[in-house]
Amino acid sequence: MIDFADFILENGYKEQFYSKTYTVLQIGEYKYWSMDFPTVNTNLINRTFIYEARKEKIVNFVQTPAFKHVYKMSLEDVKKQLLETK
């Protein structure tokens, strides 16, 4: 994890979030950043969708009857699974 945090710092760009500035790295549809500096203290890498519209579209799809039927999961199941993988 520390190696990835260093990679973000070396290859990312600065992005303002309220009063803080973070180094962010975009990979695919996600952006990643760490809040721990020095990076030797890193025990968590943050990740979010780059585009809020994409995030909203996925959240809406997860709530459809088709998703529930095919994947046998509700939105709450997905949230629980995401929390378990962090």
Coordinates of all heavy atoms in Angstrom, one line a residue:
M1 N 0.8 -1.2 0.0 CA 0.0 0.0 0.0 C 0.9 1.3 0.0 O 0.5 2.2 -0.7 CB -0.9 0.0 1.2 CG -1.9 1.1 1.1 SD -3.4 1.0 2.2 CE -3.9 -0.6 2.0
I2 N 2.0 1.2 0.7 CA 2.9 2.4 0.8 C 3.4 2.6 -0.6 O 3.6 3.8 -1.1 CB 4.0 2.2 1.8 CG1 3.4 2.1 3.2 CG2 5.0 3.2 1.7 CD1 4.3 1.7 4.3
D3 N 3.8 1.6 -1.4 CA 4.3 1.7 -2.7 C 3.3 2.4 -3.6 O 3.6 3.3 -4.4 CB 4.6 0.4 -3.3 CG 5.9 -0.3 -2.7 OD1 6.6 0.5 -2.0 OD2 6.0 -1.5 -2.8
F4 N 2.0 2.1 -3.5 CA 0.9 2.7 -4.3 C 0.8 4.1 -3.9 O 0.6 5.0 -4.8 CB -0.4 1.9 -4.2 CG -1.4 2.4 -5.1 CD1 -1.1 2.5 -6.5 CD2 -2.7 2.7 -4.7 CE1 -2.1 3.0 -7.4 CE2 -3.7 3.1 -5.6 CZ -3.4 3.2 -6.9
A5 N 0.8 4.4 -2.6 CA 0.7 5.8 -2.2 C 1.9 6.7 -2.8 O 1.7 7.8 -3.2 CB 0.8 5.9 -0.7
D6 N 3.1 6.1 -2.8 CA 4.2 6.8 -3.4 C 4.0 7.0 -4.9 O 4.4 8.0 -5.5 CB 5.5 6.0 -3.1 CG 6.0 6.1 -1.7 OD1 5.6 7.0 -1.0 OD2 6.7 5.1 -1.3
F7 N 3.5 6.0 -5.5 CA 3.2 6.0 -7.0 C 2.2 7.1 -7.3 O 2.4 7.9 -8.2 CB 2.6 4.7 -7.5 CG 2.4 4.6 -8.9 CD1 3.5 4.4 -9.8 CD2 1.1 4.8 -9.5 CE1 3.3 4.3 -11.2 CE2 0.9 4.7 -10.8 CZ 2.0 4.5 -11.7
I8 N 1.2 7.3 -6.4 CA 0.2 8.4 -6.6 C 0.9 9.7 -6.5 O 0.7 10.6 -7.3 CB -0.9 8.3 -5.5 CG1 -1.8 7.0 -5.8 CG2 -1.8 9.6 -5.5 CD1 -2.7 6.7 -4.6
L9 N 1.8 9.9 -5.5 CA 2.5 11.1 -5.3 C 3.4 11.5 -6.5 O 3.5 12.6 -6.9 CB 3.3 11.1 -4.0 CG 2.6 11.3 -2.7 CD1 3.5 11.1 -1.6 CD2 1.9 12.6 -2.7
E10 N 4.0 10.4 -7.1 CA 5.0 10.6 -8.2 C 4.3 10.9 -9.5 O 4.8 11.6 -10.4 CB 5.9 9.4 -8.3 CG 6.8 9.3 -7.1 CD 7.5 7.9 -7.1 OE1 7.4 7.2 -8.1 OE2 8.2 7.6 -6.1
N11 N 3.1 10.3 -9.7 CA 2.5 10.4 -11.0 C 1.1 11.1 -11.0 O 0.5 11.3 -12.1 CB 2.2 8.9 -11.5 CG 3.5 8.2 -11.7 OD1 4.3 8.4 -12.6 ND2 3.9 7.3 -10.7
G12 N 0.6 11.6 -9.9 CA -0.7 12.2 -9.8 C -0.6 13.7 -10.1 O 0.4 14.3 -10.5
Y13 N -1.7 14.4 -9.8 CA -1.8 15.8 -10.0 C -2.5 16.4 -8.7 O -3.2 15.6 -8.0 CB -2.6 16.2 -11.2 CG -4.0 15.6 -11.2 CD1 -5.1 16.4 -10.7 CD2 -4.3 14.3 -11.7 CE1 -6.4 15.9 -10.7 CE2 -5.6 13.8 -11.6 CZ -6.6 14.6 -11.1 OH -7.9 14.1 -11.1
K14 N -2.3 17.6 -8.5 CA -2.9 18.3 -7.3 C -4.4 18.6 -7.6 O -4.8 19.1 -8.7 CB -2.2 19.6 -7.0 CG -0.7 19.4 -6.7 CD -0.5 18.7 -5.4 CE 1.0 18.6 -5.1 NZ 1.3 17.7 -4.1
E15 N -5.2 18.3 -6.6 CA -6.6 18.6 -6.6 C -7.1 19.2 -5.3 O -6.8 18.6 -4.3 CB -7.4 17.3 -7.0 CG -8.9 17.6 -7.2 CD -9.6 16.3 -7.7 OE1 -9.4 16.0 -8.9 OE2 -10.3 15.7 -6.9
Q16 N -7.8 20.3 -5.4 CA -8.4 20.9 -4.2 C -9.7 20.2 -3.7 O -10.5 19.9 -4.5 CB -8.7 22.4 -4.5 CG -9.0 23.2 -3.3 CD -7.8 23.6 -2.5 OE1 -6.7 23.7 -3.1 NE2 -8.0 23.9 -1.3
F17 N -9.8 20.0 -2.4 CA -11.0 19.4 -1.8 C -11.3 20.3 -0.6 O -10.6 20.1 0.4 CB -10.8 18.0 -1.5 CG -12.1 17.3 -1.0 CD1 -13.1 17.0 -1.9 CD2 -12.3 17.1 0.4 CE1 -14.3 16.5 -1.4 CE2 -13.4 16.5 0.8 CZ -14.5 16.2 0.0
Y18 N -12.2 21.2 -0.7 CA -12.5 22.2 0.3 C -11.2 22.9 0.6 O -10.6 23.5 -0.3 CB -13.1 21.5 1.6 CG -14.5 21.0 1.3 CD1 -14.7 19.7 1.0 CD2 -15.6 21.9 1.3 CE1 -16.0 19.2 0.8 CE2 -16.9 21.4 1.1 CZ -17.1 20.1 0.8 OH -18.3 19.6 0.5
S19 N -10.7 22.9 1.8 CA -9.5 23.7 2.2 C -8.2 22.9 2.0 O -7.1 23.4 2.2 CB -9.6 24.2 3.6 OG -9.6 23.2 4.5
K20 N -8.3 21.6 1.6 CA -7.1 20.7 1.5 C -6.8 20.5 0.1 O -7.6 20.5 -0.8 CB -7.4 19.4 2.2 CG -7.8 19.4 3.6 CD -6.5 19.5 4.5 CE -6.9 19.4 5.9 NZ -5.7 19.3 6.8
T21 N -5.5 20.3 -0.2 CA -5.0 19.9 -1.5 C -4.4 18.5 -1.4 O -3.6 18.3 -0.5 CB -3.9 20.9 -2.0 OG1 -4.5 22.2 -2.0 CG2 -3.5 20.6 -3.4
Y22 N -4.8 17.7 -2.3 CA -4.4 16.3 -2.3 C -3.8 16.0 -3.7 O -4.1 16.6 -4.7 CB -5.5 15.3 -2.1 CG -6.1 15.4 -0.7 CD1 -7.3 16.1 -0.5 CD2 -5.5 14.9 0.4 CE1 -7.9 16.3 0.7 CE2 -6.1 15.1 1.7 CZ -7.3 15.7 1.8 OH -7.8 15.9 3.1
T23 N -2.9 15.0 -3.7 CA -2.4 14.5 -5.0 C -3.2 13.3 -5.4 O -3.4 12.4 -4.6 CB -0.9 14.1 -4.9 OG1 -0.1 15.2 -4.5 CG2 -0.4 13.5 -6.2
V24 N -3.8 13.4 -6.6 CA -4.8 12.4 -7.0 C -4.3 11.8 -8.3 O -3.6 12.4 -9.1 CB -6.1 13.2 -7.4 CG1 -7.1 12.2 -7.9 CG2 -6.7 13.8 -6.1
L25 N -4.6 10.5 -8.5 CA -4.2 9.8 -9.6 C -5.4 9.1 -10.3 O -6.1 8.4 -9.6 CB -3.1 8.7 -9.3 CG -2.6 7.8 -10.5 CD1 -1.9 8.7 -11.4 CD2 -1.8 6.7 -9.9
Q26 N -5.6 9.4 -11.6 CA -6.7 8.8 -12.3 C -6.3 7.5 -12.9 O -5.3 7.5 -13.6 CB -7.2 9.7 -13.4 CG -7.9 10.9 -12.8 CD -8.6 11.8 -13.9 OE1 -8.7 11.3 -15.0 NE2 -9.0 13.0 -13.6
I27 N -7.1 6.5 -12.7 CA -6.8 5.2 -13.4 C -8.2 4.7 -13.8 O -9.1 4.4 -13.0 CB -6.2 4.1 -12.5 CG1 -4.8 4.6 -12.0 CG2 -6.0 2.8 -13.2 CD1 -4.1 3.7 -11.0
G28 N -8.5 4.6 -15.1 CA -9.8 4.2 -15.6 C -10.8 5.2 -15.2 O -10.7 6.4 -15.3
E29 N -11.9 4.7 -14.6 CA -13.0 5.5 -14.2 C -12.9 6.0 -12.7 O -13.8 6.6 -12.2 CB -14.3 4.8 -14.3 CG -14.7 4.4 -15.7 CD -16.1 3.8 -15.8 OE1 -16.6 3.3 -14.8 OE2 -16.6 3.8 -16.9
Y30 N -11.8 5.7 -12.1 CA -11.6 6.1 -10.7 C -10.4 7.1 -10.5 O -9.5 7.2 -11.3 CB -11.2 4.8 -9.9 CG -12.3 3.8 -9.8 CD1 -12.3 2.7 -10.7 CD2 -13.4 3.9 -9.0 CE1 -13.3 1.8 -10.7 CE2 -14.4 3.0 -8.9 CZ -14.3 1.9 -9.8 OH -15.3 1.0 -9.7
K31 N -10.5 7.8 -9.4 CA -9.3 8.5 -8.9 C -9.0 8.1 -7.5 O -9.9 7.7 -6.7 CB -9.6 10.0 -9.0 CG -10.7 10.6 -8.1 CD -10.9 12.1 -8.4 CE -12.1 12.6 -7.6 NZ -12.2 14.0 -7.9
Y32 N -7.7 8.0 -7.2 CA -7.2 7.5 -6.0 C -6.3 8.6 -5.3 O -5.7 9.4 -6.0 CB -6.2 6.3 -6.3 CG -6.9 5.2 -7.0 CD1 -7.1 5.1 -8.3 CD2 -7.4 4.1 -6.2 CE1 -7.7 4.1 -9.0 CE2 -8.0 3.0 -6.8 CZ -8.2 3.0 -8.2 OH -8.8 1.9 -8.8
W33 N -6.3 8.6 -4.0 CA -5.5 9.5 -3.2 C -5.3 9.0 -1.8 O -6.1 8.2 -1.3 CB -6.1 10.9 -3.2 CG -7.3 11.1 -2.4 CD1 -7.4 11.5 -1.1 CD2 -8.7 10.7 -2.7 NE1 -8.7 11.5 -0.6 CE2 -9.5 11.0 -1.6 CE3 -9.3 10.2 -3.9 CZ2 -10.9 10.8 -1.7 CZ3 -10.6 10.0 -3.9 CH2 -11.4 10.3 -2.8
S34 N -4.3 9.4 -1.2 CA -4.0 9.1 0.2 C -4.0 10.3 1.0 O -3.6 11.4 0.5 CB -2.6 8.4 0.3 OG -2.3 8.2 1.7
M35 N -4.4 10.2 2.3 CA -4.4 11.4 3.1 C -3.3 11.3 4.2 O -3.2 12.2 5.0 CB -5.8 11.5 3.8 CG -6.9 11.8 2.8 SD -8.6 11.7 3.4 CE -8.6 12.2 5.0
D36 N -2.5 10.3 4.1 CA -1.4 10.1 5.1 C 0.0 10.5 4.5 O 0.4 10.0 3.5 CB -1.3 8.6 5.4 CG -2.6 8.1 6.1 OD1 -3.1 8.8 6.9 OD2 -3.1 7.0 5.7
F37 N 0.6 11.5 5.2 CA 1.9 11.9 4.8 C 2.7 12.0 6.1 O 2.2 12.6 7.0 CB 1.9 13.2 4.0 CG 1.1 13.0 2.7 CD1 -0.2 13.5 2.7 CD2 1.6 12.4 1.7 CE1 -1.0 13.3 1.5 CE2 0.9 12.2 0.5 CZ -0.4 12.7 0.4
P38 N 3.9 11.5 6.1 CA 4.6 10.8 5.0 C 3.9 9.5 4.7 O 3.1 9.0 5.5 CB 6.0 10.5 5.6 CG 5.8 10.5 7.0 CD 4.7 11.5 7.4
T39 N 4.1 9.0 3.5 CA 3.4 7.8 3.0 C 3.7 6.6 3.8 O 2.9 5.6 3.7 CB 3.7 7.6 1.5 OG1 5.1 7.5 1.3 CG2 3.1 8.7 0.6
V40 N 4.8 6.6 4.5 CA 5.1 5.4 5.4 C 3.9 5.1 6.4 O 3.7 4.0 6.9 CB 6.4 5.6 6.1 CG1 6.3 6.6 7.2 CG2 6.9 4.3 6.6
N41 N 3.1 6.2 6.6 CA 2.0 6.0 7.6 C 0.7 5.6 6.9 O -0.4 5.4 7.5 CB 1.7 7.4 8.2 CG 2.8 7.8 9.1 OD1 3.5 7.0 9.7 ND2 3.0 9.1 9.2
T42 N 0.7 5.3 5.5 CA -0.5 5.0 4.8 C -1.0 3.6 5.1 O -0.3 2.6 5.1 CB -0.2 5.0 3.3 OG1 0.3 6.4 2.9 CG2 -1.4 4.7 2.5
N43 N -2.3 3.6 5.5 CA -3.0 2.3 5.7 C -4.3 2.3 5.0 O -5.1 1.4 5.2 CB -3.1 2.0 7.2 CG -3.9 3.0 7.9 OD1 -4.5 3.9 7.3 ND2 -4.0 2.9 9.2
L44 N -4.6 3.3 4.2 CA -5.8 3.4 3.4 C -5.6 4.3 2.2 O -5.0 5.3 2.2 CB -6.9 4.1 4.3 CG -8.2 4.4 3.6 CD1 -9.0 3.1 3.3 CD2 -9.0 5.3 4.5
I45 N -6.0 3.7 1.0 CA -6.0 4.5 -0.2 C -7.5 4.8 -0.5 O -8.3 3.9 -0.6 CB -5.4 3.7 -1.4 CG1 -3.9 3.3 -1.1 CG2 -5.5 4.4 -2.7 CD1 -3.0 4.4 -1.1
N46 N -7.8 6.1 -0.7 CA -9.2 6.5 -1.0 C -9.4 6.3 -2.5 O -8.5 6.5 -3.3 CB -9.4 7.9 -0.7 CG -9.2 8.2 0.8 OD1 -10.1 7.7 1.6 ND2 -8.1 8.8 1.2
R47 N -10.7 6.0 -2.9 CA -11.0 5.8 -4.3 C -12.5 6.3 -4.5 O -13.3 6.1 -3.7 CB -11.0 4.3 -4.7 CG -11.4 4.1 -6.1 CD -11.3 2.6 -6.4 NE -12.5 2.0 -5.9 CZ -12.9 0.7 -6.2 NH1 -12.1 0.0 -7.0 NH2 -13.9 0.2 -5.7
T48 N -12.7 7.0 -5.6 CA -14.0 7.4 -6.0 C -14.1 7.4 -7.5 O -13.1 7.4 -8.2 CB -14.4 8.7 -5.4 OG1 -15.8 9.0 -5.5 CG2 -13.7 9.9 -6.0
F49 N -15.4 7.5 -8.0 CA -15.6 7.6 -9.4 C -15.1 9.0 -9.9 O -15.3 10.0 -9.1 CB -17.0 7.4 -9.8 CG -17.5 6.0 -9.8 CD1 -18.2 5.5 -8.7 CD2 -17.2 5.2 -10.8 CE1 -18.6 4.2 -8.6 CE2 -17.6 3.8 -10.8 CZ -18.3 3.4 -9.7
I50 N -14.6 9.1 -11.0 CA -14.2 10.4 -11.6 C -15.4 11.3 -11.9 O -15.5 12.4 -11.6 CB -13.3 10.3 -12.8 CG1 -11.9 9.6 -12.4 CG2 -13.0 11.6 -13.5 CD1 -11.1 9.2 -13.5
Y51 N -16.4 10.6 -12.4 CA -17.6 11.3 -12.9 C -18.8 11.0 -12.0 O -19.1 9.8 -11.9 CB -17.9 11.0 -14.3 CG -16.8 11.2 -15.3 CD1 -16.0 10.2 -15.8 CD2 -16.4 12.6 -15.6 CE1 -15.0 10.5 -16.6 CE2 -15.3 12.8 -16.4 CZ -14.6 11.8 -16.9 OH -13.5 12.0 -17.8
E52 N -19.3 11.9 -11.3 CA -20.4 11.7 -10.4 C -21.6 11.1 -11.2 O -22.4 10.3 -10.7 CB -20.8 13.0 -9.7 CG -19.9 13.4 -8.6 CD -19.8 12.3 -7.5 OE1 -20.9 11.8 -7.0 OE2 -18.7 12.0 -7.1
A53 N -21.8 11.5 -12.4 CA -22.9 11.0 -13.2 C -22.8 9.5 -13.4 O -23.8 8.8 -13.4 CB -23.0 11.7 -14.6
R54 N -21.5 9.0 -13.6 CA -21.3 7.6 -13.7 C -21.6 6.9 -12.4 O -22.3 5.8 -12.4 CB -19.9 7.4 -14.1 CG -19.5 5.9 -14.2 CD -19.9 5.3 -15.5 NE -19.4 3.9 -15.5 CZ -20.0 2.9 -15.9 NH1 -21.3 3.0 -16.3 NH2 -19.5 1.7 -15.9
K55 N -21.2 7.5 -11.3 CA -21.5 6.9 -10.0 C -23.1 6.8 -9.8 O -23.6 5.8 -9.4 CB -20.9 7.8 -8.9 CG -21.2 7.3 -7.5 CD -20.5 8.3 -6.6 CE -20.8 8.0 -5.1 NZ -20.2 8.9 -4.2
E56 N -23.8 7.9 -10.2 CA -25.2 7.9 -10.0 C -25.9 6.9 -10.9 O -26.8 6.2 -10.5 CB -25.7 9.3 -10.4 CG -27.2 9.5 -10.1 CD -27.7 10.9 -10.4 OE1 -26.9 11.8 -10.3 OE2 -28.9 11.0 -10.8
K57 N -25.4 6.7 -12.1 CA -25.9 5.7 -13.0 C -25.8 4.3 -12.5 O -26.7 3.5 -12.5 CB -25.2 5.8 -14.4 CG -25.8 5.0 -15.4 CD -25.1 5.2 -16.8 CE -25.6 4.3 -17.9 NZ -24.9 4.5 -19.1
I58 N -24.6 4.0 -11.9 CA -24.4 2.7 -11.3 C -25.3 2.5 -10.1 O -25.9 1.4 -9.9 CB -22.9 2.5 -11.0 CG1 -22.1 2.4 -12.3 CG2 -22.7 1.3 -10.1 CD1 -20.6 2.4 -12.2
V59 N -25.4 3.5 -9.2 CA -26.2 3.3 -8.1 C -27.7 3.1 -8.5 O -28.4 2.2 -7.9 CB -26.1 4.6 -7.1 CG1 -27.2 4.6 -6.1 CG2 -24.7 4.6 -6.5
N60 N -28.1 3.8 -9.5 CA -29.5 3.6 -10.0 C -29.7 2.3 -10.6 O -30.7 1.6 -10.3 CB -29.9 4.7 -11.0 CG -30.0 6.1 -10.4 OD1 -30.3 6.2 -9.2 ND2 -29.9 7.1 -11.2
F61 N -28.7 1.7 -11.3 CA -28.8 0.4 -11.9 C -28.9 -0.7 -10.8 O -29.7 -1.6 -10.9 CB -27.6 0.1 -12.8 CG -27.6 -1.3 -13.3 CD1 -28.6 -1.8 -14.2 CD2 -26.6 -2.1 -12.9 CE1 -28.6 -3.1 -14.6 CE2 -26.6 -3.4 -13.3 CZ -27.6 -3.9 -14.2
V62 N -28.1 -0.5 -9.8 CA -28.1 -1.5 -8.7 C -29.4 -1.6 -8.0 O -29.8 -2.6 -7.5 CB -27.0 -1.2 -7.7 CG1 -27.1 -2.0 -6.4 CG2 -25.6 -1.4 -8.3
Q63 N -30.2 -0.5 -8.1 CA -31.5 -0.5 -7.4 C -32.7 -1.1 -8.3 O -33.8 -1.1 -7.9 CB -31.9 0.9 -7.0 CG -30.9 1.4 -5.9 CD -31.2 2.8 -5.5 OE1 -32.2 3.0 -4.8 NE2 -30.3 3.7 -5.8
T64 N -32.4 -1.4 -9.6 CA -33.4 -1.9 -10.5 C -33.8 -3.3 -10.2 O -33.0 -4.1 -9.7 CB -32.9 -1.8 -12.0 OG1 -31.8 -2.7 -12.2 CG2 -32.6 -0.4 -12.3
P65 N -35.0 -3.7 -10.6 CA -35.4 -5.1 -10.4 C -34.6 -6.1 -11.3 O -34.3 -7.2 -10.8 CB -36.9 -5.1 -10.9 CG -37.4 -3.7 -10.7 CD -36.1 -2.8 -10.9
A66 N -34.1 -5.6 -12.4 CA -33.3 -6.5 -13.3 C -32.0 -6.8 -12.5 O -31.6 -8.0 -12.6 CB -32.9 -5.7 -14.6
F67 N -31.3 -5.9 -11.9 CA -30.1 -6.1 -11.2 C -30.4 -7.1 -10.0 O -29.7 -8.1 -9.8 CB -29.5 -4.9 -10.6 CG -28.2 -5.1 -9.8 CD1 -27.0 -5.1 -10.5 CD2 -28.2 -5.4 -8.5 CE1 -25.8 -5.3 -9.8 CE2 -27.1 -5.6 -7.8 CZ -25.9 -5.6 -8.4
K68 N -31.4 -6.9 -9.3 CA -31.8 -7.7 -8.2 C -32.1 -9.2 -8.6 O -31.7 -10.1 -8.0 CB -33.0 -7.2 -7.4 CG -32.7 -5.9 -6.7 CD -34.0 -5.3 -6.1 CE -33.7 -3.9 -5.5 NZ -34.9 -3.3 -5.0
H69 N -32.7 -9.3 -9.8 CA -33.1 -10.6 -10.3 C -31.8 -11.3 -10.8 O -31.6 -12.5 -10.5 CB -34.1 -10.5 -11.5 CG -34.4 -11.8 -12.2 ND1 -35.2 -12.7 -11.6 CD2 -34.0 -12.3 -13.3 CE1 -35.3 -13.7 -12.4 NE2 -34.6 -13.5 -13.5
V70 N -31.0 -10.7 -11.6 CA -29.8 -11.3 -12.2 C -28.8 -11.6 -11.1 O -28.2 -12.7 -11.1 CB -29.2 -10.5 -13.3 CG1 -27.9 -11.0 -13.8 CG2 -30.2 -10.4 -14.5
Y71 N -28.5 -10.7 -10.3 CA -27.4 -10.8 -9.3 C -27.8 -11.3 -8.0 O -27.0 -11.5 -7.1 CB -26.6 -9.5 -9.2 CG -25.9 -9.1 -10.5 CD1 -26.5 -8.2 -11.4 CD2 -24.7 -9.7 -10.9 CE1 -25.9 -7.9 -12.6 CE2 -24.1 -9.4 -12.1 CZ -24.7 -8.5 -12.9 OH -24.1 -8.2 -14.1
K72 N -29.1 -11.3 -7.7 CA -29.7 -11.8 -6.5 C -29.1 -10.9 -5.3 O -28.8 -11.4 -4.2 CB -29.4 -13.2 -6.2 CG -29.7 -14.2 -7.3 CD -31.2 -14.3 -7.4 CE -31.6 -15.4 -8.4 NZ -32.1 -15.0 -9.6
M73 N -29.0 -9.6 -5.6 CA -28.4 -8.7 -4.6 C -29.2 -7.4 -4.6 O -29.7 -6.9 -5.6 CB -27.0 -8.3 -4.9 CG -26.0 -9.5 -4.8 SD -24.4 -9.0 -5.3 CE -23.9 -8.0 -3.9
S74 N -29.4 -6.8 -3.4 CA -30.0 -5.5 -3.3 C -28.9 -4.5 -3.1 O -27.8 -4.8 -3.0 CB -30.9 -5.5 -2.0 OG -30.1 -5.6 -0.9
L75 N -29.3 -3.2 -3.1 CA -28.4 -2.1 -2.9 C -27.7 -2.3 -1.5 O -26.5 -2.1 -1.4 CB -29.1 -0.8 -3.0 CG -28.2 0.5 -2.7 CD1 -27.0 0.5 -3.7 CD2 -29.0 1.7 -2.8
E76 N -28.4 -2.7 -0.5 CA -27.8 -2.9 0.8 C -26.8 -4.1 0.7 O -25.8 -4.0 1.4 CB -28.9 -3.2 1.8 CG -29.8 -2.0 2.1 CD -29.0 -0.8 2.5 OE1 -28.1 -0.9 3.4 OE2 -29.3 0.3 2.0
D77 N -27.1 -5.1 0.0 CA -26.1 -6.2 -0.2 C -24.8 -5.7 -0.8 O -23.7 -6.1 -0.4 CB -26.7 -7.3 -1.1 CG -27.9 -8.0 -0.4 OD1 -28.0 -8.1 0.8 OD2 -28.7 -8.5 -1.2
V78 N -25.0 -4.9 -1.8 CA -23.8 -4.3 -2.5 C -23.0 -3.5 -1.6 O -21.8 -3.6 -1.5 CB -24.2 -3.5 -3.8 CG1 -23.0 -2.8 -4.4 CG2 -24.9 -4.4 -4.8
K79 N -23.7 -2.6 -0.8 CA -23.0 -1.7 0.2 C -22.2 -2.6 1.2 O -21.1 -2.3 1.5 CB -24.0 -0.8 0.9 CG -24.5 0.3 0.0 CD -25.5 1.1 0.8 CE -26.1 2.2 0.0 NZ -27.1 3.0 0.8
K80 N -22.9 -3.6 1.7 CA -22.3 -4.5 2.7 C -21.0 -5.2 2.1 O -20.0 -5.3 2.7 CB -23.3 -5.6 3.1 CG -22.7 -6.5 4.2 CD -23.8 -7.5 4.6 CE -23.2 -8.5 5.6 NZ -24.1 -9.7 5.8
Q81 N -21.1 -5.7 0.9 CA -20.0 -6.3 0.2 C -18.8 -5.3 0.0 O -17.7 -5.7 0.2 CB -20.4 -6.9 -1.1 CG -19.4 -7.8 -1.8 CD -19.9 -8.5 -3.0 OE1 -20.5 -7.8 -3.8 NE2 -19.6 -9.7 -3.1
L82 N -19.2 -4.1 -0.4 CA -18.1 -3.1 -0.5 C -17.4 -2.8 0.8 O -16.2 -2.6 0.8 CB -18.7 -1.8 -1.1 CG -19.1 -1.8 -2.6 CD1 -19.9 -0.6 -3.0 CD2 -17.9 -2.0 -3.5
L83 N -18.2 -2.7 1.9 CA -17.6 -2.5 3.2 C -16.7 -3.6 3.6 O -15.6 -3.4 4.2 CB -18.7 -2.2 4.2 CG -19.4 -0.9 4.1 CD1 -20.6 -0.9 5.1 CD2 -18.5 0.3 4.3
E84 N -17.0 -4.8 3.3 CA -16.3 -6.0 3.6 C -14.9 -6.1 2.9 O -14.0 -6.6 3.4 CB -17.0 -7.3 3.4 CG -18.2 -7.5 4.3 CD -19.1 -8.6 4.0 OE1 -18.9 -9.3 3.0 OE2 -20.0 -8.9 4.8
T85 N -14.9 -5.5 1.7 CA -13.7 -5.5 0.9 C -12.7 -4.4 1.2 O -11.6 -4.4 0.7 CB -14.0 -5.5 -0.7 OG1 -14.7 -4.3 -1.0 CG2 -14.8 -6.7 -1.0
K86 N -13.1 -3.5 2.0 CA -12.2 -2.3 2.3 C -11.2 -2.7 3.4 O -11.4 -3.5 4.2 CB -13.0 -1.1 2.7 CG -13.7 -0.5 1.5 CD -14.4 0.8 1.9 CE -15.0 1.4 0.6 NZ -15.7 2.6 0.9

